Amino acid sequence: MIFQNENSFEVKEKILNSKVAILPIGAVEAHGPHLPLGTDNYLAERLSERVAEKTGAFVLPTLPYGQVWSLKNFPGSINISNESLISFIVDIGVSLYEQGFRVFAMINGHLGNAVAMKEAARKLYSQYPNYKILYLFYPGVKKATDEVRETVSSHTSYFHACEIETSYMLYLAEEYVDMSKAISDVPNIPMSADITPTPWEEFTSSAVLGDATLATKEKGEKIIEVAIENMIKLIEGAKDGLNKA
């Protein structure tokens, strides 16, 4: 159910019946020559729609800006601070609770948002201990990713505009991908990047962290379907927890 398409006269009963709100959270940032600036928004939106179909949840309008400090100097990137993102999420979460929602699931398309999402969830939990808050970022996909990956990851945590993320886009939002412009750029990311602020232009000029030319729709499907299945299980588990409380 698309929340912004509802009307005020009918939505209250639907909220009380569903109790679950999904907030897609993305970012606007460089994703190489073959993917759009809004890649993370498209991924978060498409994932949220798929999960909502199976859980009876409402999908909120996408929060389209994220914390992209590492890529803020690349053309097209728009960065907001963790502090701003935390405040925005908390305000949304409070409004949802007051409207009658009891499960608030954030589906994230951008790794850089993770710190703010976790902190916002803690603040909301402190205020409303019976509020089930989930921050979801492709949960439980490591095995599926390892099975389809043809190249070694550039980093233990990051994947960006590479074989993996491009495969996600080919599966979920193929119309925004131009594979004729896909490149292979495997940067040497220094160990120091994990322990001190490091703008990505220090180790990449393309914002591509791997071989995007190896991306396929089939690879994306295998990983994404695992992520969707796990997100559905986690949301359903949160709903069951409400019933037992």
Side-chain angles (χ1 to χ4, degrees), residues 5 35 42 71 80 82-83 133 139 143 147 206 208 216 223:
N5 293 344
L35 295 178
Y42 294 127
L71 283 159
I80 65 172
N82 275 327
E83 292 78 12
I133 304 150
K143 182 174 182 291
E147 288 174 353
S206 69
V208 176
T216 68
I223 302 170

Side-chain angles (χ1 to χ4, degrees), residues 16-63:
L16 296 177
N17 286 333
S18 171
K19 291 189 171 61
V20 183
I22 294 175
L23 176 64
I25 303 182
V28 177
E29 65 172 0
H31 276 83
H34 63 299
L35 295 178
L37 296 171
T39 288
D40 298 336
N41 290 328
Y42 294 127
L43 291 174
E45 287 173 356
R46 299 287 168 89
L47 285 167
S48 296
E49 290 167 2
R50 291 281 301 277
V51 173
E53 288 175 2
K54 299 294 185 181
T55 58
F58 277 104
V59 179
L60 302 171
T62 301
L63 181 51

Side-chain angles (χ1 to χ4, degrees), residues 138-149:
Y138 305 105
V141 300
K142 184 180 185 305
K143 182 174 182 291
T145 303
D146 290 343
E147 288 174 353
V148 303
R149 184 190 288 280

Side-chain angles (χ1 to χ4, degrees), residues 34 161-163 166 170 179 182-185 208 210-216:
H34 63 299
C162 56
E163 175 187 1
T166 303
L170 286 171
M179 286 301 290
I183 63 172
S184 175
D185 188 2
V208 176
D211 191 348
T213 68
L214 295 176
T216 68

Side-chain angles (χ1 to χ4, degrees), residues 9 16-17 28 38 103 133 198 232 234-235:
F9 279 62
L16 296 177
N17 286 333
V28 177
V103 177
I133 304 150
T198 307
I232 291 169
L234 290 164
I235 291 173

Side-chain angles (χ1 to χ4, degrees), residues 131-232:
Y131 200 7
K132 305 294 184 181
I133 304 150
L134 293 76
Y135 34 95
L136 304 169
F137 184 70
Y138 305 105
V141 300
K142 184 180 185 305
K143 182 174 182 291
T145 303
D146 290 343
E147 288 174 353
V148 303
R149 184 190 288 280
E150 295 183 59
T151 53
V152 177
S153 176
S154 297
H155 190 272
T156 55
S157 300
Y158 306 151
F159 60 93
H160 193 79
C162 56
E163 175 187 1
I164 300 305
E165 189 170 35
T166 303
S167 294
Y168 290 179
M169 281 292 284
L170 286 171
Y171 181 52
L172 290 173
E174 186 175 15
E175 67 270 30
Y176 297 110
V177 183
D178 186 350
M179 286 301 290
S180 70
K181 295 180 180 178
I183 63 172
S184 175
D185 188 2
V186 185
N188 180 22
I189 302 176
M191 187 181 301
S192 59
D194 289 333
I195 54 88
T196 191
T198 307
W200 278 21
E201 62 265 25
E202 292 188 10
F203 55 78
T204 177
S205 60
S206 69
V208 176
L209 302 186
D211 191 348
T213 68
L214 295 176
T216 68
K217 187 174 184 177
E218 291 71 26
K219 291 177 182 177
E221 179 179 11
K222 184 164 185 178
I223 302 170
I224 291 297
E225 287 301 322
V226 172
I228 289 173
E229 180 181 355
N230 287 332
M231 286 190 279
I232 291 169

